[in-house]
Amino acid sequence: MALEITQYLLSAQSPDAKVRNEAETTLSQFRDQNLSGFLLSLSVELANDSKPTESRRLAGIILKNSLDAKEAARKDHLVRQWVAIDISFKSQIKHSLLSTLGSSVREASHTAAQVVAKIASIEVPRKEWPELVGLLLSNMTQPDSPASLKQATLETLGYVCEEISNEDLVQDEVNAVLTAVVQGMNVTEQNSEVRLAATRALYNALDFARTNFDNEMERNYIMKVICDAALAKETEIRQAAFECLVSIASTYYEVLEPYMPRIFELTSNAVKGDEEAVALQAVEFWSSICDEELEIQDYEVPESGDSSAPHSHFIQKALPTLVPMLLETLLKQDEEQDQEDGIWNLAMAGGTCLGLVARTVGDAIVPLVMPFVEINISKTDWRSREAATYAFGSILEGPSIEKLSPMVNAGLEFLLNAMHDENSHVKDTTAWTLSRIFELLHSPATGFSVINPGNLQRILGVLLESVKDAPHVAEKVCGAIYFLAQGYEDAGPSSSLLTPYLPDILNSLITTADRSDGSYSKLRSSAYETLNEVVRCSNLSETSHIISKLLPAIMSKLEQTLNLQIVSSDDREKQGDLQASLCGVLQVLIQKLSSADETKPLILQMADQIILLFLNVFACRSSTVHEEAMLAIGALAYAVGPEFGKYMQEFYKYLEMGLQNFEEYQVCSISVGVVGDICRALDDKILPYCDGIMTLLLKDLSSGELHRSVKPPIFSCFGDIALAIGEHFEKYISYALPMMQSASEVCAQMDNSDEEMMDYGNLLRRSIFEAYSGILQGFKNSKPDLMLPHASHLVQFLELVAKDKQRDESVTKAAVAVLGDLADALGSNIKVLFKDSSFCMELLRECLQSDDDQLKETATWTQGMIGRAFSVSG
């Protein structure tokens, strides 16, 4: 039975804290003692038009939050709670909600639509609310249905389609939903709110319409209705119609051909003269077409041009009219666009689309864009100069080096001069364009670069001067320096070209990071990221004396952050960000200096001071710092090797905290990686800490709260620990192996149609193999027989993975390696395991024919191990 809760809902919003807390406590008690009665009371409150808007609003919010949550474990809990409620209560709640759709109060019907969809997301896949679609559709077909009810019903249908999978409805239901939605969109529909709700509902229902889009007559009708809606007098309807076209571009690309002339006309008119919200979607349509065509081109067989998907070459065909349309958008900049993060306008959308078009058609775009660049680049109006520069920078990826190099070589000096333009927008875009040139056309290692000994001094002179400019310009200049340095990585003798300029570059970047306006627009972190890249790519044999001096300077800066006055949470955040950047620099310096015999002693002799600094940083307790400091400690452990043992006692408590940090799961993941670094550094000297570490790792694996991405690194870490402590891993076998086995069973049941799940499955499989490899190698010399009871499970898992043709190359490498480790560790015992295993030879054959030398080498070693095991008598 529903209880009267209006007063409690109103009091829970009282400005008086005492009244508010008492009401919240009462509501919580009601929920905990009688969940079904509580939810029914909320739904009755929401349904009652005579109740105050404030109490109904809160009732709706609590209802939604009782059915759904962002966090997966919490969501599972709420779903289980709902499923367990008595069916009679659930029926009353659903009846209340459906009746609320007819409410004259728009906010109440809107909330009811969302709650109905949340219940549908639980019940429809379980076949527990079969009448829902029929009930909703009857609202649309009754002749006396008010427009407000139709609007709320269409909104509900849209939300339901968003929440459920297209397999959850039978085709008759899909047909009925689409009929109702398309009728609501029709030009004959007088009420614009109904038409808007219908258009938005269609957007969510498009995934369900595969069969309907396969039928030409139905498809023609749906496309006509959408194209008509794109011309509606209401801006919101036009925007929603274009959003449908964007979705159709990616979902139904292969059937678009007959409609493209009409769509081109619609998008072209929208871009030229419609409201920005509509014009943005019109540009997005062409970006989606580019994405589809790029994907088709990626999967084409180069020799034959064959592809499983049809390639309609829409972009190529539209090029002569599409490119001028996009170039026009570049002149519609916002005055403030460089000052704010996250701003998105028509000029940016047009430039992004132009970049995608360049990648799609390659060389063909250059003659269409360069006249626009040449006409506008020197005009007195800043918008023309900025648009020309943006157009130039946008087409640098896609066309061939042969096509680009003459125009880039000719334009480079012009761009360097433009860094002194009187307008900051022009300078901002020029710096971005230079960074694109250096990213894409500066690769001495492969033999082509726009930078040469003749112009390097001039380029660096301009960049180091311009890095003093306004923060948003300086940030883009840092990007240009970043890619300029990156080009010299592994460039042999060419990398020496940068050496004479290194002190000036490093000093400029440190000065930039220290600017009082440096926290604006991410300038400080950009300066430090660029500093890291310059250090990483420098030629250490020539620059060790410069980089060695940088180490104490950065340590001193980090030490100063410990004494910053912290008054507010804002101060704490700024301190954390600065410490994170400096720990990142130290990590790169440690890695660079420890990579050569000549400079490694410097790290060894300063290790005590470095670790003390990191421990003090940990004491500040900011998670961003925790992450960067953890990574730097991993680098230090790797550099100092067994000597790291003397720091373990002090460091262990922070490692423990990191491994228990479920909230900031990246910190947990990095901490797991650091355990691996320490294992490699200490070998069996890590033994005293293993009980604690293994307990935490096993706890992490068992947790439903911890983000799943942390679980693969944990399995890999088991392998690192086993490799470090050898036979001492025996006591963990009965805990670790069942976890590995159940994870391998999860892999077998994974849904590979979802790309994200497929990537996760690959990570998980690789890490399970890495764990087995480490354990097998750890036991090989003393107790190999410990793994005999678990070997058949591993072989079954290997067979399962070998049969999967979709597997990632890293999984293949790990599988072949563990196959060799199994043969190496168990010797002649593998004969029984492998007697029916033809998959094993097939996998080896596949790897031996690979183009990857490392994979071939591993497969050859594995083949040798198996051969040796079979030749041993036994």
Side-chain angles (χ1 to χ4, degrees):
M1 193 183 110
L3 295 178
E4 178 65 45
I5 56 169
T6 310
Q7 196 48 54
Y8 297 117
L9 290 166
L10 292 173
S11 298
Q13 301 169 71
S14 164
D16 182 328
K18 185 171 182 293
V19 172
R20 194 170 64 245
N21 291 337
E22 282 174 5
E24 286 173 354
T25 304
T26 305
L27 289 169
S28 295
Q29 284 171 346
F30 184 11
R31 183 192 61 215
D32 295 342
Q33 288 161 13
N34 180 4
L35 180 65
S36 47
F38 177 64
L39 295 179
L40 179 59
S41 302
L42 291 169
S43 68
V44 168
E45 185 77 22
L46 182 62
N48 190 338
D49 273 356
S50 65
K51 294 289 185 182
T53 306
E54 292 77 13
S55 65
R56 296 175 79 186
R57 181 186 298 128
L58 185 56
I61 290 168
I62 298 171
L63 265 172
K64 273 191 292 189
N65 293 343
S66 302
L67 292 161
D68 192 23
K70 282 196 175 79
E71 208 266 304
R74 169 93 182 129
K75 184 171 180 164
D76 286 348
H77 169 69
L78 294 174
V79 168
R80 283 197 301 274
Q81 270 190 347
W82 173 260
V83 170
I85 290 174
D86 183 86
I87 194 160
S88 65
F89 274 97
K90 284 196 279 199
S91 297
Q92 290 175 72
I93 292 166
K94 291 188 288 192
H95 178 74
S96 257
L97 290 165
L98 289 173
S99 71
T100 312
L101 296 178
S103 168
S104 57
V105 179
R106 178 74 192 99
E107 193 177 345
S109 63
H110 172 71
T111 303
Q114 291 176 312
V115 180
V116 167
K118 293 300 177 193
I119 295 173
S121 74
I122 300 169
E123 295 203 345
V124 170
R126 303 164 67 93
K127 309 286 182 235
E128 287 175 356
W129 200 357
E131 69 278 19
L132 171 64
V133 171
L135 289 168
L136 291 171
L137 292 172
S138 68
N139 291 347
M140 301 300 296
T141 49
Q142 283 166 11
D144 56 346
S145 281
S148 58
L149 176 60
K150 285 185 175 179
Q151 179 190 355
T153 301
L154 286 163
E155 196 171 30
T156 309
L157 284 167
Y159 288 144
V160 168
C161 289
E162 190 178 11
E163 290 285 346
I164 64 176
S165 149
N166 54 6
E167 287 139 26
D168 293 329
L169 295 183
V170 296
Q171 190 56 44
D172 285 350
E173 290 175 312
V174 173
N175 294 344
V177 168
L178 285 172
T179 301
V181 167
V182 171
Q183 269 173 2
M185 283 177 72
N186 221 312
V187 281
T188 54
E189 175 54 61
Q190 300 298 305
N191 187 295
S192 62
E193 295 292 340
V194 170
R195 202 173 172 203
L196 175 61
T199 311
R200 287 178 174 162
L202 179 64
Y203 176 82
N204 287 323
L206 282 168
D207 270 350
F208 294 74
R210 172 65 59 191
T211 304
N212 311 81
F213 264 80
D214 286 343
N215 177 315
E216 188 182 354
M217 211 165 80
E218 291 184 40
R219 181 173 72 238
N220 287 342
Y221 186 59
I222 294 170
M223 292 301 291
K224 179 188 180 306
V225 169
I226 294 171
C227 290
D228 289 346
L231 293 169
K233 65 177 192 291
E234 297 81 5
T235 304
E236 283 186 294
I237 295 176
R238 295 199 303 278
Q239 182 183 344
F242 275 109
E243 283 170 6
C244 288
L245 288 175
V246 171
S247 175
I248 288 167
S250 55
T251 315
Y252 301 112
Y253 169 90
E254 68 283 359
V255 295
L256 274 180
E257 181 92 57
Y259 315 104
M260 288 306 276
R262 177 94 198 271
I263 293 173
F264 185 87
E265 184 191 344
L266 288 169
T267 53
S268 181
N269 291 337
V271 169
K272 283 177 187 146
D274 210 328
E275 303 285 331
E276 185 170 70
V278 182
L280 281 170
Q281 291 304 320
V283 172
E284 187 60 30
F285 172 83
W286 291 102
S287 291
S288 284
I289 294 286
C290 286
D291 287 337
E292 286 307 301
E293 297 198 345
L294 282 166
E295 196 171 335
I296 292 167
Q297 284 159 210
D298 279 348
Y299 287 106
E300 269 180 358
V301 180
E303 294 81 36
S304 62
D306 284 351
S307 164
S308 55
H311 194 330
S312 300
H313 299 282
F314 292 136
I315 299 296
Q316 187 78 51
K317 290 170 189 168
L319 213 52
T321 36
L322 176 62
V323 171
M325 175 180 95
L326 293 173
L327 290 170
E328 280 304 303
T329 66
L330 303 189
L331 292 159
K332 298 183 180 177
Q333 309 96 321
D334 283 344
E335 288 279 359
E336 301 300 312
Q337 68 183 32
D338 300 324
Q339 311 293 334
E340 295 171 46
D341 274 349
I343 205 163
W344 186 246
N345 59 37
L346 192 54
M348 289 174 159
T352 302
C353 187
L354 194 65
L356 288 167
V357 171
R359 285 175 52 206
T360 308
V361 301
D363 288 358
I365 199 168
V366 176
L368 293 168
V369 170
M370 285 315 290
F372 175 87
V373 174
E374 286 154 9
I375 290 165
N376 288 285
I377 198 79
S378 300
K379 282 191 177 171
T380 51
D381 170 30
W382 75 263
R383 289 179 184 279
S384 300
R385 298 197 304 279
E386 193 275 339
T389 312
Y390 190 19
F392 189 78
S394 296
I395 62 164
L396 293 172
E397 187 178 5
S400 62
I401 284 175
E402 292 72 26
K403 191 78 176 172
L404 290 173
S405 59
M407 68 180 209
V408 171
N409 282 322
L412 188 59
E413 183 58 29
F414 194 98
L415 289 167
L416 293 171
N417 286 326
M419 285 309 299
H420 303 299
D421 195 284
E422 66 206 27
N423 182 277
S424 72
H425 295 295
V426 175
K427 288 188 283 191
D428 185 291
T429 304
T430 303
W432 172 79
T433 300
L434 286 169
S435 76
R436 295 263 296 166
I437 289 171
F438 301 151
E439 179 186 5
L440 299 163
L441 297 163
H442 163 50
S443 178
T446 58
F448 177 79
S449 176
V450 294
I451 302 175
N452 56 55
N455 63 16
L456 179 59
Q457 184 172 3
R458 163 93 174 115
I459 291 168
L460 279 168
V462 170
L463 295 177
L464 298 186
E465 187 56 39
S466 299
V467 84
K468 299 170 189 167
D469 211 313
H472 66 92
V473 176
E475 190 193 332
K476 306 284 195 311
V477 173
C478 284
I481 298 170
Y482 180 101
F483 288 116
L484 184 146
Q486 192 179 74
Y488 289 113
E489 186 181 12
D490 304 327
S494 295
S495 63
S496 301
L497 289 175
L498 204 56
T499 303
Y501 305 101
L502 202 66
D504 287 347
I505 296 172
L506 296 175
N507 286 334
S508 286
L509 290 169
I510 289 173
T511 306
T512 304
D514 286 345
R515 277 168 59 158
S516 57
D517 57 0
S519 56
Y520 173 92
S521 164
K522 311 192 298 286
L523 177 57
R524 176 184 282 155
S525 59
S526 293
Y528 279 128
E529 280 168 27
T530 304
L531 180 75
N532 291 346
E533 197 63 5
V534 171
V535 169
R536 212 177 58 74
C537 300
S538 63
N539 185 329
L540 188 60
S541 60
E542 297 173 351
T543 60
S544 57
H545 58 293
I546 305 163
I547 292 171
S548 299
K549 285 181 195 155
L550 196 55
L551 182 66
I554 298 293
M555 285 170 65
S556 161
K557 281 185 177 299
L558 185 55
E559 195 162 10
Q560 286 162 27
T561 66
L562 301 170
N563 306 318
L564 286 173
Q565 196 177 2
I566 307 296
V567 179
S568 63
S569 60
D570 197 33
D571 290 341
R572 169 76 64 207
E573 192 181 337
K574 281 180 180 164
Q575 180 198 41
D577 289 345
L578 179 53
Q579 289 178 336
S581 288
L582 291 165
C583 286
V585 179
L586 284 175
Q587 181 197 347
V588 172
L589 287 169
I590 291 164
Q591 287 169 331
K592 188 74 177 176
L593 291 168
S594 61
S595 67
D597 293 342
E598 174 199 352
T599 48
K600 193 170 185 176
L602 180 68
I603 297 294
L604 298 177
Q605 103 203 18
M606 297 188 79
D608 289 4
Q609 291 161 266
I610 296 173
I611 196 82
L612 187 64
L613 253 182
F614 290 148
L615 294 174
N616 286 332
V617 164
F618 277 130
C620 292
R621 294 287 164 86
S622 160
S623 74
T624 45
V625 175
H626 213 140
E627 222 169 297
E628 305 290 341
M630 267 293 174
L631 284 165
I633 282 189
L636 187 67
Y638 189 78
V640 303
E643 288 297 303
F644 191 81
K646 63 181 174 183
Y647 310 125
M648 271 305 284
Q649 204 169 351
E650 274 298 303
F651 170 59
Y652 181 71
K653 65 179 174 197
Y654 296 112
L655 182 63
E656 210 169 33
M657 278 161 53
L659 292 173
Q660 292 176 87
N661 194 339
F662 287 8
E663 288 293 303
E664 291 130 353
Y665 65 88
Q666 291 95 333
V667 175
C668 188
S669 186
I670 285 165
S671 303
V672 171
V674 169
V675 171
D677 290 331
I678 294 170
C679 286
R680 285 183 281 281
L682 297 186
D683 285 329
D684 60 358
K685 292 192 182 66
I686 196 170
L687 200 52
Y689 303 96
C690 280
D691 282 359
I693 290 171
M694 281 299 293
T695 303
L696 290 171
L697 293 177
L698 291 162
K699 201 167 155 192
D700 286 351
L701 279 178
S702 311
S703 162
E705 287 171 57
L706 184 60
H707 195 275
R708 68 173 190 217
S709 66
V710 186
K711 298 192 175 181
I714 292 174
F715 287 119
S716 301
C717 192
F718 284 172
D720 294 329
I721 293 170
L723 208 49
I725 64 174
E727 64 185 54
H728 300 290
F729 195 80
E730 180 180 355
K731 63 167 150 175
Y732 308 123
I733 280 283
S734 59
Y735 305 102
L737 266 292
M739 291 278 197
M740 287 155 59
Q741 287 165 5
S742 67
S744 60
E745 280 151 23
V746 167
C747 290
Q749 288 148 22
M750 245 173 214
D751 171 18
N752 279 345
S753 62
D754 179 338
E755 203 169 321
E756 204 179 307
M757 281 308 283
M758 195 162 84
D759 290 345
Y760 177 67
N762 279 324
L763 277 176
L764 192 55
R765 294 188 297 183
R766 188 182 83 198
S767 66
I768 294 166
F769 288 142
E770 285 171 353
Y772 274 115
S773 274
I775 295 168
L776 284 162
Q777 288 174 43
F779 286 153
K780 183 178 82 171
N781 295 327
S782 52
K783 297 182 173 176
D785 292 354
L786 285 173
M787 285 303 283
L788 270 174
H790 308 284
S792 62
H793 197 287
L794 171 56
V795 172
Q796 282 167 20
F797 184 42
L798 277 164
E799 184 165 8
L800 186 82
V801 171
K803 284 178 180 164
D804 174 19
K805 299 301 171 205
Q806 298 290 302
R807 76 187 116 81
D808 188 72
E809 191 147 295
S810 65
V811 175
T812 308
K813 278 181 188 166
V816 173
V818 79
L819 198 56
D821 289 324
L822 190 65
D824 187 21
L826 300 188
S828 62
N829 287 314
I830 67 160
K831 288 182 187 177
V832 181
L833 288 169
F834 283 8
K835 71 170 187 290
D836 303 320
S837 304
S838 57
F839 81 87
C840 172
M841 290 309 139
E842 278 167 36
L843 182 64
L844 284 173
R845 203 166 29 248
E846 176 195 325
C847 297
L848 290 166
Q849 289 164 359
S850 165
D851 296 334
D852 185 320
D853 290 339
Q854 199 187 350
L855 183 55
K856 262 192 209 165
E857 199 179 311
T858 307
T860 306
W861 173 79
T862 295
Q863 198 176 35
M865 287 298 128
I866 292 171
R868 196 179 75 181
F870 271 81
S871 66
V872 175
S873 58

